[in-house]
């Protein structure tokens, strides 16, 4: 069994049968301001990613939430990165039906909340629902199949080599990687679980594990590096639920979809957030390859707000490469990506350029307005009055279509004007 699946507690289940889910594979996203007809986006369109360019007060958060909610109503689960504590209310009911709701929205909100399992995760916040990245797969589960066992060892090596500082093209790294492989295979064959045991094994490498000269010395050094990593990065082999996209995207029995909100509030610096998102994206990539959407119009949704902090147009971050790899490949496997940013100029052009669906909302900064108009022109349109749009008003362009001004619907879950505090996010993590 591959590493990314190893920690899966529940096996991915199929979504509810079609007759139990609402029928049309469409998202109703807006109503054209001119004639009030809602814009219907075929779910399949979201396989080719979506970009939302909109500044403060534009209605960006409301739009993101309604997209996630409408997908959930169609049985599509989502992973939502919450950078600003404004998405962790996706499971909250409005205290009163808002006046801005359209016809049928009250019933849709009820349906959404009843049938969607919203789980708030809080990496690096132990008091909430922490997550961790486990470098070692479940070797016991693959012990009987030599090919799967080898694959599991490969996956472990991929996760451990950079952490053990064995990436360089040096003679030491060359020998070290071989010793690590022998040690991991030895540990796995003996039913070892957990990084702690492997570190102990490396610390005092028994005779016969490796045939290489000097192996015990190399192994001790690796053990030191791995131990240091567990200290500096609490997510690495930490105590939280192992990140498993299968868990994040699979509803429990009786629910139509799961919305996994991953709060970034426990990670203060951009570097911490980027490191986390990088590992998450790598896990997601290897998972979708093994669990493509197949004949479903859309297999899942991955939503990244403040996308410019993860894949900026300037200097690359640790997660630029995995972001671009997902942006290029996810469509093939049916995972829809939604990128939102207040800074169209600040987002990597391979993301902006390739988004089949684009929304432009109110922008204020002249540099961002210019960048937005350039992006729109590249798609054969223009967004001339993007600085005068009201909140909830967007220019939308769908694959091959022209730019249309739409009024987006209010979200179905509670969205007051102030974001949650970190304590309130943690409370929701414990409630879900
Ligand atoms: N589609 C809509 N229908 C009705 N009201 C809306 C809509 N979109 C936004 N609003 C109103 O505008 C307010 C701001 O919207 P939202 O929180 O989505 O803005 P934002 O662009 O995310 O801004 P921020 O910079 O505050 O994060 C909402 O609280 C709501 O009152
Ligand atoms: Mg917002």
């Amino acid at each position: 069994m591959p590493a990314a699946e190893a920690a899966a507690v529940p096996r991915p289940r199929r979504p509810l049968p079609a007759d139990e889910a609402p029928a049309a594979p469409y998202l109703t996203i807006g109503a054209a301001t001119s004639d009030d007809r809602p814009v219907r986006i075929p779910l399949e369109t979201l396989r080719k990613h979506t970009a939302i360019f909109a500044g403060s007060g534009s209605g960006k958060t409301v739009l993101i939430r309604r997209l996630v909610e409408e997908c959930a109503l169609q049985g599509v689960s989502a992973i939502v990165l919450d950078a600003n504590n404004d998405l962790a209310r996706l499971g909250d009911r409005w205290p009163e039906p808002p006046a801005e709701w359209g016809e049928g929205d009250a019933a849709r909100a009820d349906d959404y909340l009843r049938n969607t399992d919203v789980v708030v995760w809080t990496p690096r916040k132990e008091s909430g629902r922490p997550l961790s990245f486990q470098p070692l797969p479940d070797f016991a589960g693959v012990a009987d199949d030599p090919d799967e066992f080898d694959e599991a060892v490969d996956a472990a090596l991929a996760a451990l080599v950079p952490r053990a500082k064995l990436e360089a093209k040096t003679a030491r790294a060359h020998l070290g990687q071989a010793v690590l492989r022998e040690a991991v295979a030895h540990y796995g064959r003996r039913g070892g679980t957990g990084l702690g045991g492997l570190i102990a094994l490396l610390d005092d490498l028994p005779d016969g594990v490796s045939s290489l000269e000097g192996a015990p010395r190399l192994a001790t050094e690796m053990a030191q590096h791995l131990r240091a990593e567990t200290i500096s990065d609490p997510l690495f082999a930490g105590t939280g639920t192992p990140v498993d996209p299968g868990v994040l995207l699979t509803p429990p029995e009786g629910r139509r979809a799961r919305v996994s909100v991953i709060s970034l509030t426990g990670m203060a610096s951009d570097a911490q957030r980027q490191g986390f998102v990088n590992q998450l994206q790598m896990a997601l990539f290897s998972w979708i390859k093994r669990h493509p959407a197949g004949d479903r119009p859309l297999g899942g949704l991955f939503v990244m707000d403040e996308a410019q902090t993860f894949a900026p147009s300037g200097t690359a971050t640790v997660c630029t490469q995995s972001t671009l790899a997902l942006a290029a490949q996810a469509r093939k496997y049916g995972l829809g990506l939604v990128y939102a940013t207040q800074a169209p100029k600040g987002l990597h052009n391979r993301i902006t350029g390739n988004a089949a669906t684009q929304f432009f909302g109110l922008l204020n900064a002249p540099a961002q307005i210019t960048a937005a108009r350039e992006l729109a022109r590249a798609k054969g349109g223009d967004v001339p009055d993007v600085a005068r749009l009201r909140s909830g008003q967007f220019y939308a362009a769908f694959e091959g279509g022209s730019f249309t001004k739409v009024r987006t619907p209010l979200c179905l879950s509670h969205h007051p004007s102030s974001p949650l505090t970190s304590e309130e996010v943690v409370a929701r993590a414990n409630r879900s």
Side-chain angles (χ1 to χ4, degrees):
M1 183 165 48
E5 277 174 82
V9 190
R11 303 284 305 166
R13 245 178 260 120
R14 291 188 63 77
L16 287 186
D19 57 345
E20 287 175 47
Y26 283 98
L27 287 182
T28 306
I29 268 314
T33 38
S34 49
D35 61 3
D36 239 13
R37 260 185 304 115
V39 175
R40 308 217 305 160
I41 319 175
L43 266 191
E44 208 161 352
T45 301
L46 297 184
R47 279 180 171 229
K48 304 186 193 149
H49 59 263
T50 302
I52 302 172
F53 308 111
S56 186
S58 60
K60 178 174 64 126
T61 302
V62 166
L63 174 57
I64 291 174
R65 286 170 68 159
R66 187 72 188 233
L67 272 171
V68 169
E69 292 159 354
E70 290 292 331
C71 279
L73 281 165
Q74 302 286 345
V76 176
S77 294
I79 298 173
V80 181
L81 295 182
D82 185 10
N84 300 322
N85 293 358
D86 57 2
L87 297 165
R89 282 195 181 98
L90 268 158
D92 290 16
R93 192 177 286 276
W94 285 90
E96 301 286 336
E100 297 86 352
W101 263 356
E103 200 190 318
D105 278 352
R108 286 185 90 65
D110 207 46
D111 187 4
Y112 163 76
L113 289 166
R114 227 184 261 282
N115 291 304
T116 308
D117 182 44
V118 178
V119 184
V120 176
W121 306 89
T122 58
R124 295 200 64 170
K125 271 224 179 276
E126 299 297 319
S127 54
R129 189 182 288 259
L131 287 167
S132 68
F133 292 101
Q134 299 301 328
L136 296 183
D138 166 26
F139 286 114
V142 295
D144 300 339
D145 184 324
D147 289 340
E148 286 194 356
F149 184 83
D150 284 347
E151 258 182 59
V153 172
D154 283 345
L157 263 280
L160 293 171
V161 161
R163 304 277 189 172
K165 302 284 172 273
L166 296 172
E167 272 176 311
K169 299 235 172 308
T170 59
R172 182 195 151 271
H174 177 69
L175 294 173
Q177 284 194 26
V179 172
L180 185 57
R181 180 173 292 275
E182 290 173 313
V184 167
H186 174 87
Y187 186 61
R189 267 195 298 273
R190 261 142 237 260
T193 54
L195 185 67
L198 179 68
I199 291 177
L201 177 82
L202 290 167
D203 248 340
D204 190 11
L205 199 69
D207 286 343
V209 172
S210 174
S211 52
L212 290 170
E213 203 179 306
R217 191 175 33 79
L218 285 165
T220 310
E221 207 178 301
M222 278 173 230
Q224 281 297 95
H225 283 301
L226 292 174
R227 194 172 283 123
E229 286 287 302
T230 63
I231 297 165
S232 345
D233 179 2
L235 290 167
F236 178 59
T239 52
T241 306
V243 166
D244 179 344
V247 171
L248 299 177
L249 290 170
T250 306
E253 207 75 60
R255 299 291 182 100
R256 198 186 283 134
R258 168 169 280 178
V259 172
S260 282
V261 178
I262 303 183
S263 166
L264 305 182
T265 188
M267 290 170 280
S269 70
D270 277 351
Q272 283 177 355
R273 292 177 174 207
Q274 290 154 356
F276 171 82
V277 170
N278 181 46
Q279 292 187 69
L280 173 67
Q281 291 186 140
M282 290 195 298
L284 197 51
F285 198 19
S286 69
W287 186 83
I288 56 169
K289 281 197 208 159
R290 292 169 216 286
H291 301 92
D295 52 10
R296 286 176 291 156
L298 186 65
L301 208 60
F302 178 56
V303 181
M304 183 190 272
D305 194 4
E306 306 294 358
Q308 80 288 351
T309 52
F310 301 105
S313 48
T315 314
T317 71
V318 293
C319 68
T320 295
Q321 207 196 334
S322 58
T323 309
L324 298 181
L326 259 189
Q329 303 281 328
R331 61 186 64 185
K332 216 161 67 190
Y333 306 104
L335 178 74
L337 306 171
V338 178
Y339 299 98
T341 181
Q342 309 211 18
K345 202 181 169 65
L347 184 58
H348 198 290
N349 65 5
R350 293 236 299 272
I351 291 176
T352 46
N354 287 330
T357 303
Q358 302 192 349
F359 290 95
F360 293 83
L362 171 71
L363 286 165
N364 295 303
Q368 304 306 343
I369 294 167
T370 309
R373 293 189 68 177
E374 275 165 20
L375 286 169
R377 287 199 196 101
K379 278 209 111 191
D382 196 3
V383 290
D385 56 346
V386 74
R388 289 193 301 277
L389 294 176
R390 277 169 296 140
S391 107
Q393 231 184 359
F394 287 82
Y395 277 103
F398 306 104
E399 206 182 3
S402 57
F403 281 77
T404 325
K405 222 185 253 183
V406 300
R407 163 147 279 285
T408 55
L410 189 59
C411 46
L412 300 174
S413 55
H414 187 206
H415 180 57
S417 51
S418 56
L420 292 170
T421 63
S422 292
E423 291 70 34
E424 289 169 326
V425 171
V426 165
R428 275 158 186 77
N430 288 317
R431 188 174 78 188
S432 46

